Amino acid sequence: MTKRERCEIAAACHTKGINCGQSVLMAFQDKTGLSEGQSLAIASGFGGGMRCGGICGSVSGSVVVLGCQYPAADPETKQRSTKLTKEFERRFAEQFGALNCRELLAAKDLRGTSIAEELMHDNHCGLMIVSAVELLSDYLDELEKE
């Protein structure tokens, strides 16, 4: 599946009212091995920064995808999982200046990634969702080449 196709899936999910974390998971079902129902269930509480303005659900959903691709089962893989999570968080924060939903919602004039700007230019949360998918797609591609 192409990066654009993933972004289109996430955008369509968000447009239907599916929360940010769910939209990200739906775009990576082929990578996670999760069904639609499982993806929706796992991320059901991620919207609104876990309903309390905490970490953006787009970030939380992305971390679930990373965990499915690179599970932590022992001290060595736990270190790798931490490194992967921190790197994705860094990339997202570099794009948007924050990780917390409360701060992101208060931010004005956010700029998304290129596909996000094209698909969701007038949708504040949509920019973050599709940008997270685009950033994660690029990151997973890099990891697969290592």
Side-chain angles (χ1 to χ4, degrees), residues 21 30 53 73 86 93 117:
D30 62 313
K86 293 291 185 191
E117 286 289 334

Side-chain angles (χ1 to χ4, degrees), residues 19-117:
N19 80 34
C20 40
Q22 292 170 315
S23 296
V24 170
L25 282 181
M26 294 293 286
F28 288 94
Q29 282 182 270
D30 62 313
K31 295 280 191 184
T32 64
L34 299 170
S35 69
E36 179 177 327
Q38 290 168 322
S39 296
L40 294 173
I42 288 168
S44 62
F46 290 176
M50 293 196 192
R51 308 290 182 221
C52 66
I55 298 293
C56 173
S58 299
V59 175
S60 298
S62 297
V63 170
V64 171
V65 174
L66 284 168
C68 288
Q69 285 287 274
Y70 300 95
D74 56 49
E76 183 180 320
T77 54
K78 183 178 176 183
Q79 279 186 324
R80 179 184 65 198
S81 178
T82 299
K83 178 183 169 194
L84 297 176
T85 298
K86 293 291 185 191
E87 176 57 19
F88 180 78
E89 289 171 342
R90 183 197 67 75
R91 292 174 186 216
F92 188 90
E94 184 178 282
Q95 181 72 44
F96 293 111
L99 294 174
N100 283 335
C101 181
R102 185 178 299 110
E103 295 169 56
L104 293 164
L105 287 174
K108 303 291 184 230
D109 301 322
L110 291 179
R111 300 287 302 170
T113 55
S114 60
I115 297 173
E117 286 289 334

Side-chain angles (χ1 to χ4, degrees), residues 96 110 112 116-117 120-121 123-132:
F96 293 111
L110 291 179
E117 286 289 334
M120 303 299 280
H121 66 278
N123 185 307
H124 190 83
C125 289
L127 279 176
M128 289 176 275
I129 293 165
V130 176
S131 292

